[in-house]
Amino acid sequence: MIRFADFKDVEQIARLHVENVRRTHEGYSEVYLNRFNEERQKKAWTKYINRRDCRTIVYECEGAIIGFAAICLFYNQEYPGMLDFLHVSELFEGKGIGTQLVKSACTLFASEGFKRMLIFCKEENHRARQFYQKFGTVYVGSAPFREDGNAHFSNKLLIKDIGSIQDKKCGLTLGLSEEYKKLCDYMNEDYVLWGAGKYYNLFCEQFGDLRKPKYIFDNNQEFHGLTANGVKIVAPHQTQYPVIITCSKSQEVEKDLFDLNCDKMVAFHPWHDYLKSL
């Protein structure tokens, strides 16, 4: 069965992730592998599952997670959809589980109107690159990164036509239509933004001066008292205005808003074209 992961799955996901990295460790240093343990990955996966701009899909068999795929819904404007992680248990390799997970990821992206999906594959991981080639990936460049002080390259692979790969029978959907509508409704009244960083700029690219917020919340004290486009940036506080969260860590912000007794809020999702709905 394929389904979305939740917090109770973190331990199994972390264990499978560590097992696979350690057995397919081409290009990884011994120092890195020694630090790559389940406790560290449980913390990392707890944060990942908490992100609104990411989703983790698990393949479950008799209560055990034997594979998972994690997708990032907004890597950047050029390549918004990215397959972030893909792992299948060694005991179940070659049974089509990885293929089904990739198809499910493509289905989710296609449901949001995405046409293509980006994949990063470590230069030394020839087996993974060969696997992705069956989906018609093309090489579109490489990205350098550092790991324990050592330089590496990841290949950027692109599936150009995810519509031909998706599996409409998988039954998964992001279910964000009500959130999209709520944000558009908030834009028709006075509102507040939370966040003056990357997502704020993407929000402004979509909406421009259509309707400016009353003010902008931000936790960075250095910003307090400054203005952005003539709108004052202030410390978060209780407000009667609805809040549009222009921050990738929207679930953490939601908790802060609840603590401030603010009950009208919605996250901005930069991959969605809101202007079509206005």
Side-chain angles (χ1 to χ4, degrees):
M1 176 180 72
I2 287 181
R3 59 173 176 80
F4 286 119
D6 57 35
F7 293 112
K8 74 176 186 302
D9 301 315
V10 163
E11 187 170 345
Q12 288 196 66
I13 292 172
R15 184 181 305 120
L16 177 53
H17 191 188
V18 170
E19 287 175 354
N20 272 16
V21 167
R22 286 183 172 171
R23 72 182 175 86
T24 58
H25 58 271
E26 292 88 353
Y28 291 105
S29 68
E30 286 299 320
V31 173
Y32 177 82
L33 292 172
N34 289 336
R35 291 172 52 233
F36 196 83
N37 56 58
E38 287 187 33
E39 283 305 311
R40 181 182 176 185
Q41 289 311 109
K42 281 194 288 187
K43 293 178 182 177
W45 279 104
T46 298
K47 290 180 180 179
Y48 194 95
I49 291 175
N50 194 47
R51 287 175 55 177
R52 279 291 185 99
D53 58 348
C54 296
R55 292 293 188 279
T56 303
I57 309 163
V58 297
Y59 195 111
E60 187 179 45
C61 180
E62 297 181 353
I65 293 174
I66 58 176
F68 69 85
I71 62 172
C72 181
L73 288 150
F74 195 77
Y75 174 66
N76 60 28
Q77 288 172 288
E78 183 180 10
Y79 301 115
M82 177 177 68
L83 180 64
D84 220 354
F85 299 94
L86 178 67
H87 289 279
V88 176
S89 171
E90 183 178 17
L91 296 175
F92 293 89
E93 287 183 342
K95 299 183 182 297
I97 293 172
T99 297
Q100 190 59 49
L101 287 167
V102 171
K103 287 184 176 181
S104 296
C106 288
T107 303
L108 287 175
F109 284 137
S111 71
E112 289 293 304
F114 292 26
K115 304 298 183 185
R116 54 191 189 169
M117 182 172 76
L118 183 68
I119 304 168
F120 279 95
C121 181
K122 203 167 185 181
E123 175 72 21
E124 296 88 350
N125 198 341
H126 305 294
R127 188 180 181 190
R129 182 167 180 171
Q130 186 177 24
F131 168 77
Y132 291 128
Q133 283 175 343
K134 72 179 185 179
F135 300 104
T137 53
V138 293
Y139 173 75
V140 292
S142 289
F145 67 97
R146 300 195 70 82
E147 201 171 75
D148 292 318
N150 297 314
H152 298 272
F153 267 97
S154 277
N155 295 320
K156 293 196 292 185
L157 309 177
L158 188 67
I159 297 177
K160 288 189 171 182
D161 181 17
I162 61 176
S164 63
I165 298 170
Q166 65 175 315
D167 178 9
K168 295 180 180 180
K169 297 180 181 179
C170 79
L172 295 181
T173 177
L174 292 176
L176 294 173
S177 58
E178 286 302 312
E179 289 193 42
Y180 297 153
K181 181 179 182 302
K182 184 188 289 188
L183 187 146
C184 291
D185 289 343
Y186 285 172
M187 290 292 296
N188 291 319
E189 54 186 296
D190 290 332
Y191 68 95
V192 176
L193 289 179
W194 182 308
K198 175 183 175 183
Y199 273 29
Y200 165 78
N201 287 302
L202 294 167
F203 177 89
C204 293
E205 283 188 24
Q206 284 215 37
F207 294 104
D209 286 330
L210 187 64
R211 178 187 287 270
K212 290 185 180 182
K214 298 295 289 184
Y215 41 84
I216 302 168
F217 287 156
D218 201 284
N219 282 326
N220 190 335
Q221 295 182 6
E222 291 184 342
F223 293 169
H224 297 166
L226 302 178
T227 62
N229 196 28
V231 179
K232 194 170 184 178
I233 303 173
V234 300
H237 59 265
Q238 186 176 4
T239 179
Q240 78 273 22
Y241 299 119
V243 180
I244 297 175
I245 303 168
T246 46
C247 172
S248 63
K249 298 179 180 179
S250 56
Q251 291 195 21
E252 295 177 20
V253 173
E254 286 175 0
K255 182 181 181 303
D256 290 341
L257 285 168
F258 277 121
D259 291 341
L260 292 170
N261 295 317
C262 301
D263 56 3
K264 294 181 69 176
M265 66 191 80
V266 69
F268 166 66
H269 300 294
W271 60 86
H272 182 69
D273 186 356
Y274 290 93
L275 295 182
K276 287 183 178 179
S277 306
L278 288 175

